Amino acid sequence: MKDQGMKSVQKNNFAETFHLFYRYDRVSKQVISDNLGHSLPTITSNLKKLLNRELIVKDGEFLTQKTGRPAQAYKLNESAFTSLGMELFGNYITIISLNARGELSAKERIDIIFENTDTYYKKITDELKKFVDSKKLDIDRIVGLGIGIQGLVSDDQRRVVYSKILPMADLTTAAFQKYLPFPVTFLHDADAVALAEQHASKRTEDAIYLSIGEHLGTAMMVDGKIYNGARGRSGTMEHITIAMDDNRLCYCGRHGCIETYVAISTLIDESTETLTSFFDLIHSDDSDTLRRWHQYLNNVAEAIVNLHMFADSPIILAGEITNYLTEKTIGYLEKRISQISAFPEEKNYLELGEVHTNPVAFGAALPLVQRFIEEI
């Protein structure tokens, strides 16, 4: 028992030392001692283990005004391990890789039409392997693949439990796992966006995330974690009905859901328009396009007010739409929110997200980075 207790202390000291490299760009023995209070032999031993496992590298010396020998500097080895993320949509996939610091290191989009078949899943895992080879990633250092799913997933992140946008209900990670040598997990796409935004902003307070893309995704962050509730359905506020007698049919089968007012597919005719062409007309002051835009923003404001009355937290606009939003747009929304809110607003609670490209893939890969760090 005494030996087990000593091993536990040693493991904890080792983990604490490694975690310190995520707080500082460069670390010395003195920095470790000042922060953790470990003895010099313990510090020396743990640094040697980290070097041997290639989790850290030497990085020159600390310059000092004091006399004596300069201190050896160490830093995180950003290529120590890699996490992969994938966005899976109806007509394409996007693959990204994150380094050990959770930073984007490579990405690629592949056009491919979704099919709920083994042929399709093998095809995209083959594309994933090509990506790994072309980006010269060490496959033995890949800690896993996170896949953003347009649907709800099980608590263990291995099965799709609800999916109407793409017919993949009851799909399991085994469909991918049998072709890959590293773990695979699923993540609801809206939750992935929320995690990506939280990581980028280093936000710690509770928040509601509206991810506006072809479809609308919503997620709630409570105490630094995604709040999913008892059966994984909490946060799916895109299916709150705001006009029961409206003829706008949602993919869920109901009418008048927030999804049918706020998703990009309600703003543009995707058979003839793109967001870029739509906003080109906005910038040229096309009157009909401006009318459509302002009506859409009024719908967004209505949705935001409803959600804020449900949870009095900051609301962050995220997703593809953020590439086209400006401070002027946020100002318009805030003014409209103030006009229709049931309560006087003492301060603004609406914010613009920071992750403008591939937030689903980014957020799906992040938990694998964090899990590896935590399990050291």
Side-chain angles (χ1 to χ4, degrees):
M1 292 292 291
K2 185 176 180 180
D3 287 344
Q4 287 183 340
M6 181 61 71
K7 288 179 180 178
S8 178
V9 170
Q10 291 172 344
K11 183 177 180 181
N12 185 59
N13 288 344
F14 177 77
E16 286 182 337
T17 304
F18 180 59
H19 294 166
L20 202 62
F21 284 86
Y22 285 87
R23 290 167 52 191
Y24 296 94
D25 290 333
R26 301 171 81 229
V27 172
S28 67
K29 290 182 178 180
Q30 188 62 52
V31 170
I32 298 171
S33 177
D34 291 344
N35 280 269
L36 305 177
H38 295 169
S39 67
L40 183 58
T42 297
I43 293 170
T44 301
S45 174
N46 286 330
L47 286 173
K48 184 177 180 180
K49 291 175 184 177
L50 289 168
L51 287 167
N52 288 341
R53 291 177 60 174
E54 298 183 348
L55 293 171
I56 65 171
V57 294
K58 292 183 179 180
D59 188 42
E61 297 174 330
F62 278 102
L63 299 178
T64 175
Q65 299 298 320
K66 297 180 180 180
T67 58
R69 184 177 178 181
Q72 174 69 57
Y74 305 85
K75 69 175 183 179
L76 180 71
N77 178 9
E78 294 179 354
S79 61
F81 60 93
T82 300
S83 173
L84 300 177
M86 179 186 292
E87 300 172 336
L88 199 160
F89 296 111
N91 56 358
Y92 71 93
I93 63 171
T94 302
I95 304 169
I96 69 160
S97 62
L98 302 183
N99 65 21
R101 202 171 281 281
E103 299 166 336
L104 182 69
S105 57
K107 69 174 183 176
E108 187 171 328
R109 169 175 164 150
I110 299 116
D111 292 330
I112 180 171
I113 303 300
F114 171 81
E115 297 175 2
N116 190 14
T117 64
D118 185 64
T119 300
Y120 171 80
Y121 298 122
K122 184 178 186 307
K123 189 179 294 184
I124 61 178
T125 53
D126 286 344
E127 293 292 346
L128 187 75
K129 292 173 185 175
K130 291 178 185 176
F131 174 85
V132 170
D133 289 341
S134 66
K135 306 305 180 184
K136 295 180 171 54
L137 301 175
D138 186 342
I139 198 164
D140 293 328
R141 294 191 177 192
I142 295 175
V143 296
L145 166 68
I147 303 177
I149 298 291
Q150 291 182 295
L152 303 182
V153 304
S154 58
D155 288 341
D156 64 4
Q157 298 183 320
R158 294 180 181 176
R159 183 171 66 90
V160 180
V161 298
Y162 175 91
S163 179
K164 286 290 186 73
I165 297 174
L166 297 179
M168 60 172 71
D170 292 324
L171 175 71
T172 70
T173 53
F176 303 85
Q177 192 69 76
K178 62 184 177 181
Y179 300 116
L180 299 171
F182 38 76
V184 179
T185 58
F186 290 153
L187 191 63
H188 183 204
D189 58 349
D191 292 348
V193 173
L195 290 176
E197 289 290 350
Q198 184 194 42
H199 177 79
S201 65
K202 296 180 171 57
R203 176 184 299 279
T204 57
E205 63 184 314
D206 298 348
I208 294 175
Y209 292 86
L210 267 67
S211 175
I212 303 178
E214 177 186 2
H215 295 281
L216 173 65
T218 54
M220 294 177 64
M221 192 74 71
V222 178
D223 292 334
K225 297 179 181 178
I226 296 293
Y227 178 69
N228 286 322
R231 289 181 290 177
R233 300 174 186 175
S234 292
T236 54
M237 294 168 284
E238 60 267 33
H239 296 297
I240 292 175
T241 301
I242 58 176
M244 294 178 65
D245 58 349
D246 200 315
N247 62 0
R248 300 180 185 222
L249 178 64
C250 180
Y251 64 82
C252 74
R254 289 160 55 85
H255 289 81
C257 292
I258 291 177
E259 152 78 20
T260 66
Y261 286 86
V262 176
I264 286 175
S265 56
T266 71
L267 174 63
I268 64 173
D269 180 352
E270 294 178 311
S271 65
T272 59
E273 292 179 299
T274 66
L275 275 177
T276 300
S277 66
F278 177 86
F279 280 98
D280 284 343
L281 291 173
I282 290 289
H283 297 145
S284 66
D285 293 326
D286 180 78
S287 58
D288 181 60
T289 308
L290 283 169
R291 179 191 56 77
R292 288 164 55 195
W293 177 231
H294 289 145
Q295 182 55 60
Y296 172 79
L297 291 178
N298 290 344
N299 293 340
V300 173
E302 196 74 43
I304 289 170
V305 168
N306 276 277
L307 299 185
H308 191 249
M309 292 187 58
F310 168 71
D312 188 9
S313 299
I315 293 182
I316 291 84
L317 289 181
E320 184 182 0
I321 194 72
T322 60
N323 290 295
Y324 302 90
L325 301 186
T326 64
E327 288 301 320
K328 182 179 179 181
T329 310
I330 298 300
Y332 181 95
L333 286 170
E334 288 174 342
K335 181 178 179 181
R336 181 61 182 164
I337 287 167
S338 179
Q339 291 172 341
I340 64 178
S341 177
F343 305 108
E345 299 300 341
E346 297 176 357
K347 62 178 182 178
N348 297 325
Y349 55 81
L350 183 63
E351 299 178 25
L352 193 60
E354 299 180 27
V355 184
H356 303 305
T357 57
N358 311 119
V360 175
F362 195 99
L366 268 176
L368 298 166
V369 175
Q370 294 163 346
R371 191 174 304 159
F372 182 87
I373 296 168
E374 290 168 1
E375 292 177 353
I376 282 290

